[in-house]
Amino acid sequence: MKGVQRRIVVVVFPGFQLLDLAGPADVFGTAELVVPGSYRVEVVAPRAGLVPAGNGVTVAAGALDEVEGPIDTLMVAGGLSVPRHLADAGLVGGIAALAGAARRTASVCNGAFLLAEAGLLERRRATTHWLSAGELRERYPDVEVDADPLYIEDGRVWTSAGVLSGVDLALALVGRDLGHETAGRVARGLVVYLHRPGGQSQFSLPMAALTPRSEPLRELQAYIDAHPRADLSVPALAARAGMSERHFSRVFTRQTGLSPGRYVERSRADAARRLLETTDHPLETVARRCGLGTAETLYRVFRRHWRVSPGDHRRRFSPPKER
């Protein structure tokens, strides 16, 4: 479909999250600069005119019920106001109608609730912001909710997690349409990560672990992250913290939400991720430098925490070599 302009229609409503629109729109707009004639973005709302975002910024939108013709991609924004719009029959019905005319439909953040209310997620796997996942699961039991991935593709429907994952989803769509090289150029132009795979967890290491209340454990946490090759066994960490092993394990787990071993493994996986993205070291070298020992261990740990192989991650994320 290269050379064919794809029509992107983004649905907003009063109180929508501005980044849910602006992030994907900038991705598609930048792709249009890289490959002229590739995308055209339109913004629509239940009523035409200026629509206020949740932060007070207003955007001009056309009327949802006046959209005609085929649509390549229908995207639905989220926002704190989504719950009060679920009873808006015009909005929900309009989304359902436009989805029928679209090649694919997507939501950003809790915009997934509007897709579910429109009946578009029935018997589909979907994600949303992790804070809203439980409510989505409870309200729509026929939806298979997975709170972990950044985004999910299930047939013609894509859903994404918290706000900025809309950028990841849009980059994935560009990669699907125009190839990963083009998506990489778009990402570099926007100075964002080169297309994180959708299966990658919403939870980075800092998000997954709480900051300890006690200063000694905060210092120890920083030490772990800065010294992945050090002896980070429970005995060594307990001694560094001046505690017995049993007491240390109990306090660390209570204050961070992760056991010491789990935290260390995630920290080393994060260190490996950074090395893969910024160096061309062989996998054995990466494994040694991040404290994982062997390439086999690196592979197992990386798959467990990032849901992709180290080699695939490097191919997707590392900058292109100079020619």
Coordinates of all heavy atoms in Angstrom, one line a residue, residues 167-218:
V167 N 1.9 6.3 21.4 CA 3.0 6.5 20.5 C 3.5 5.2 20.0 O 3.8 5.0 18.8 CB 4.1 7.4 21.1 CG1 5.3 7.4 20.3 CG2 3.6 8.8 21.4
D168 N 3.7 4.3 20.9 CA 4.2 2.9 20.6 C 3.2 2.2 19.6 O 3.7 1.6 18.6 CB 4.4 2.0 21.8 CG 5.4 2.6 22.8 OD1 6.6 2.7 22.4 OD2 5.0 2.9 23.9
L169 N 2.0 2.3 19.9 CA 1.0 1.7 19.0 C 1.0 2.4 17.6 O 1.0 1.7 16.6 CB -0.4 1.9 19.6 CG -1.6 1.2 18.9 CD1 -2.7 0.8 19.9 CD2 -2.2 2.2 17.8
A170 N 1.1 3.7 17.6 CA 1.1 4.4 16.3 C 2.4 4.0 15.5 O 2.3 3.8 14.3 CB 1.1 5.9 16.5
L171 N 3.5 3.9 16.2 CA 4.8 3.4 15.5 C 4.6 2.0 15.0 O 5.1 1.7 13.9 CB 5.9 3.5 16.5 CG 6.5 4.9 16.7 CD1 7.5 4.9 17.9 CD2 7.1 5.5 15.5
A172 N 3.9 1.2 15.8 CA 3.7 -0.2 15.3 C 2.8 -0.2 14.0 O 3.1 -1.0 13.1 CB 3.0 -1.0 16.4
L173 N 1.8 0.7 14.0 CA 1.0 0.8 12.8 C 1.8 1.3 11.6 O 1.7 0.8 10.5 CB -0.2 1.7 13.0 CG -1.2 1.2 14.1 CD1 -2.3 2.2 14.3 CD2 -1.7 -0.2 13.8
V174 N 2.7 2.2 11.8 CA 3.5 2.7 10.8 C 4.5 1.6 10.3 O 4.7 1.5 9.1 CB 4.3 4.0 11.2 CG1 5.4 4.4 10.2 CG2 3.4 5.2 11.5
G175 N 5.0 0.9 11.2 CA 5.9 -0.2 10.9 C 5.2 -1.3 10.0 O 5.7 -1.8 9.1
R176 N 3.9 -1.5 10.4 CA 3.1 -2.5 9.7 C 2.8 -2.0 8.3 O 2.9 -2.7 7.3 CB 1.8 -2.8 10.4 CG 0.9 -3.8 9.8 CD 1.4 -5.2 9.8 NE 1.7 -5.6 11.2 CZ 0.8 -6.1 12.0 NH1 -0.4 -6.3 11.6 NH2 1.2 -6.5 13.2
D177 N 2.6 -0.7 8.1 CA 2.2 -0.1 6.8 C 3.4 0.2 5.9 O 3.3 -0.1 4.7 CB 1.4 1.2 7.1 CG 0.1 1.1 7.8 OD1 -0.4 -0.1 7.8 OD2 -0.4 2.1 8.3
L178 N 4.4 0.8 6.5 CA 5.5 1.3 5.7 C 6.9 0.6 6.0 O 7.9 1.0 5.3 CB 5.7 2.8 6.0 CG 4.4 3.7 5.7 CD1 4.7 5.1 6.1 CD2 3.9 3.5 4.3
G179 N 6.9 -0.3 6.9 CA 8.1 -1.0 7.2 C 8.8 -0.5 8.4 O 8.7 0.7 8.8
H180 N 9.6 -1.4 9.1 CA 10.3 -1.0 10.3 C 11.3 0.1 10.1 O 11.6 0.9 11.0 CB 10.9 -2.2 11.0 CG 9.8 -3.2 11.5 ND1 9.0 -2.8 12.5 CD2 9.5 -4.4 11.2 CE1 8.1 -3.8 12.8 NE2 8.5 -4.8 12.0
E181 N 12.0 0.1 9.0 CA 13.0 1.2 8.7 C 12.3 2.5 8.8 O 12.9 3.5 9.4 CB 13.7 0.9 7.4 CG 14.8 2.0 7.1 CD 15.5 1.7 5.8 OE1 15.3 0.6 5.2 OE2 16.2 2.6 5.3
T182 N 11.2 2.7 8.1 CA 10.5 3.9 8.2 C 10.0 4.3 9.6 O 10.1 5.4 10.0 CB 9.2 3.9 7.2 OG1 9.7 3.7 5.9 CG2 8.5 5.2 7.3
A183 N 9.5 3.3 10.3 CA 9.1 3.5 11.7 C 10.3 4.0 12.5 O 10.1 4.8 13.4 CB 8.5 2.3 12.3
G184 N 11.4 3.4 12.3 CA 12.6 3.8 13.0 C 13.0 5.2 12.7 O 13.4 6.0 13.6
R185 N 12.9 5.7 11.4 CA 13.2 7.0 11.1 C 12.2 8.0 11.8 O 12.6 9.1 12.2 CB 13.1 7.2 9.6 CG 14.2 6.5 8.8 CD 14.1 6.7 7.3 NE 14.2 8.1 6.9 CZ 14.0 8.5 5.7 NH1 13.6 7.7 4.7 NH2 14.1 9.8 5.4
V186 N 11.0 7.6 11.8 CA 9.9 8.4 12.5 C 10.3 8.5 14.0 O 10.3 9.6 14.6 CB 8.5 7.8 12.3 CG1 7.5 8.6 13.2 CG2 8.1 7.9 10.9
A187 N 10.6 7.4 14.6 CA 11.0 7.4 16.1 C 12.2 8.3 16.3 O 12.2 9.1 17.3 CB 11.2 6.0 16.5
R188 N 13.2 8.2 15.5 CA 14.4 9.0 15.7 C 14.1 10.5 15.5 O 14.6 11.3 16.2 CB 15.5 8.5 14.8 CG 16.2 7.2 15.2 CD 17.4 6.9 14.4 NE 17.1 6.6 13.0 CZ 16.7 5.5 12.5 NH1 16.5 4.4 13.3 NH2 16.5 5.3 11.2
G189 N 13.2 10.8 14.6 CA 12.8 12.2 14.3 C 12.1 12.7 15.5 O 12.2 13.9 15.9
L190 N 11.3 11.9 16.2 CA 10.6 12.3 17.4 C 11.4 12.2 18.7 O 10.9 12.5 19.8 CB 9.3 11.6 17.5 CG 8.3 11.8 16.4 CD1 7.1 10.9 16.5 CD2 7.8 13.3 16.5
V191 N 12.6 11.6 18.6 CA 13.5 11.3 19.7 C 12.7 10.5 20.8 O 12.6 10.8 21.9 CB 14.0 12.6 20.4 CG1 15.2 12.3 21.3 CG2 14.4 13.6 19.3
V192 N 12.2 9.4 20.3 CA 11.5 8.4 21.2 C 12.1 7.0 20.9 O 12.8 6.8 20.0 CB 10.0 8.3 21.0 CG1 9.3 9.7 21.3 CG2 9.6 7.9 19.6
Y193 N 11.8 6.1 21.8 CA 12.3 4.7 21.6 C 11.8 4.2 20.2 O 10.7 4.4 19.8 CB 11.7 3.8 22.6 CG 12.4 3.7 23.9 CD1 11.8 4.2 25.1 CD2 13.7 3.2 24.0 CE1 12.5 4.2 26.3 CE2 14.4 3.2 25.2 CZ 13.7 3.7 26.4 OH 14.4 3.7 27.6
L194 N 12.7 3.4 19.6 CA 12.4 2.8 18.4 C 11.4 1.7 18.6 O 11.8 0.6 19.1 CB 13.7 2.3 17.7 CG 14.6 3.3 17.1 CD1 16.0 3.0 17.3 CD2 14.3 3.4 15.6
H195 N 10.2 1.9 18.3 CA 9.1 0.9 18.4 C 9.3 -0.2 19.4 O 9.8 -1.2 19.1 CB 8.9 0.3 17.0 CG 7.9 -0.8 17.0 ND1 7.9 -1.8 16.1 CD2 6.8 -1.0 17.8 CE1 6.9 -2.6 16.3 NE2 6.2 -2.1 17.3
R196 N 8.8 0.0 20.6 CA 8.9 -1.0 21.6 C 7.8 -2.1 21.3 O 6.7 -1.7 20.9 CB 8.5 -0.4 23.0 CG 9.5 0.5 23.5 CD 9.2 1.0 24.9 NE 8.0 1.9 24.9 CZ 7.5 2.4 26.0 NH1 8.0 2.1 27.2 NH2 6.4 3.2 25.9
P197 N 8.2 -3.4 21.3 CA 7.2 -4.4 21.0 C 6.0 -4.3 21.9 O 6.1 -4.0 23.1 CB 8.0 -5.7 21.2 CG 9.5 -5.3 21.1 CD 9.5 -3.9 21.6
G198 N 4.8 -4.6 21.3 CA 3.6 -4.5 22.1 C 3.6 -5.4 23.3 O 3.0 -5.1 24.3
G199 N 4.3 -6.6 23.2 CA 4.3 -7.5 24.3 C 5.2 -7.0 25.5 O 5.1 -7.6 26.6
Q200 N 6.0 -6.0 25.3 CA 6.8 -5.5 26.4 C 5.9 -5.0 27.5 O 4.9 -4.3 27.2 CB 7.7 -4.4 25.9 CG 8.7 -3.9 26.9 CD 9.8 -3.0 26.3 OE1 10.3 -3.3 25.3 NE2 10.0 -1.8 26.9
S201 N 6.3 -5.2 28.7 CA 5.4 -4.8 29.8 C 5.3 -3.3 30.0 O 6.1 -2.5 29.6 CB 6.1 -5.4 31.1 OG 5.3 -5.0 32.2
Q202 N 4.1 -2.9 30.5 CA 3.8 -1.5 30.8 C 4.8 -1.1 31.9 O 5.0 0.1 32.1 CB 2.4 -1.3 31.3 CG 1.3 -1.5 30.3 CD 0.0 -1.1 30.9 OE1 -0.2 -0.2 31.6 NE2 -1.1 -1.9 30.6
F203 N 5.3 -2.1 32.7 CA 6.0 -1.8 33.9 C 7.5 -1.8 33.7 O 8.1 -2.8 33.6 CB 5.6 -2.8 35.0 CG 4.1 -2.8 35.2 CD1 3.4 -3.8 34.7 CD2 3.5 -1.8 36.0 CE1 2.0 -3.9 34.9 CE2 2.1 -1.9 36.2 CZ 1.4 -2.9 35.6
S204 N 8.1 -0.6 33.7 CA 9.5 -0.5 33.7 C 10.0 -0.8 35.1 O 9.2 -0.9 36.0 CB 10.0 0.9 33.3 OG 9.6 1.8 34.3
L205 N 11.3 -1.0 35.3 CA 11.8 -1.4 36.6 C 11.4 -0.3 37.7 O 10.9 -0.7 38.7 CB 13.3 -1.5 36.6 CG 13.9 -1.9 37.9 CD1 13.4 -3.3 38.4 CD2 15.4 -1.9 37.8
P206 N 11.5 1.0 37.4 CA 11.1 1.9 38.5 C 9.7 1.9 38.8 O 9.2 2.1 39.9 CB 11.5 3.3 37.8 CG 12.6 3.0 36.9 CD 12.2 1.6 36.3
M207 N 8.8 1.5 37.8 CA 7.4 1.5 38.0 C 7.0 0.2 38.8 O 6.1 0.2 39.6 CB 6.6 1.5 36.7 CG 6.6 2.8 36.0 SD 5.9 2.6 34.4 CE 4.2 2.2 34.8
A208 N 7.8 -0.9 38.5 CA 7.4 -2.2 39.1 C 7.8 -2.2 40.6 O 7.2 -3.0 41.4 CB 8.1 -3.3 38.4
A209 N 8.8 -1.5 41.0 CA 9.3 -1.5 42.4 C 9.0 -0.2 43.1 O 9.3 0.9 42.5 CB 10.7 -1.8 42.4
L210 N 8.5 -0.2 44.3 CA 8.3 1.0 45.1 C 9.7 1.5 45.6 O 10.6 0.8 45.8 CB 7.4 0.7 46.2 CG 6.0 0.1 45.9 CD1 5.3 -0.3 47.2 CD2 5.2 1.2 45.1
T211 N 9.7 2.8 45.9 CA 10.9 3.4 46.5 C 10.8 3.1 48.0 O 9.8 3.4 48.6 CB 11.0 4.9 46.3 OG1 11.0 5.1 44.9 CG2 12.2 5.5 46.9
P212 N 11.9 2.4 48.6 CA 11.8 2.1 50.0 C 11.7 3.3 50.9 O 12.2 4.4 50.5 CB 13.2 1.4 50.2 CG 13.6 0.9 48.9 CD 13.1 1.9 47.9
R213 N 11.0 3.1 52.0 CA 10.9 4.3 52.9 C 12.2 4.6 53.6 O 12.5 5.7 53.9 CB 9.8 3.9 54.0 CG 8.4 3.8 53.4 CD 7.4 3.7 54.5 NE 7.6 2.5 55.3 CZ 7.2 1.3 55.0 NH1 6.5 1.0 53.9 NH2 7.4 0.2 55.8
S214 N 13.0 3.5 54.0 CA 14.2 3.7 54.7 C 15.4 4.1 53.9 O 15.5 3.6 52.8 CB 14.5 2.5 55.5 OG 14.9 1.4 54.6
E215 N 16.2 5.1 54.3 CA 17.3 5.6 53.6 C 18.3 4.4 53.2 O 18.8 4.4 52.1 CB 18.0 6.7 54.3 CG 19.2 7.3 53.6 CD 18.8 7.9 52.3 OE1 17.6 8.4 52.2 OE2 19.6 8.0 51.4
P216 N 18.6 3.5 54.2 CA 19.6 2.5 53.8 C 19.1 1.6 52.6 O 19.9 1.2 51.8 CB 19.7 1.7 55.1 CG 19.3 2.6 56.2 CD 18.3 3.5 55.6
L217 N 17.8 1.3 52.6 CA 17.3 0.5 51.5 C 17.2 1.3 50.2 O 17.4 0.7 49.1 CB 15.9 -0.1 51.8 CG 15.9 -1.2 52.9 CD1 14.6 -1.8 53.0 CD2 17.0 -2.3 52.5
R218 N 17.0 2.6 50.3 CA 17.0 3.4 49.1 C 18.4 3.5 48.5 O 18.6 3.3 47.3 CB 16.5 4.9 49.4 CG 15.1 5.0 49.6 CD 14.6 6.4 49.4 NE 15.2 7.3 50.4 CZ 14.6 7.5 51.6 NH1 13.5 6.9 52.0 NH2 15.2 8.3 52.5

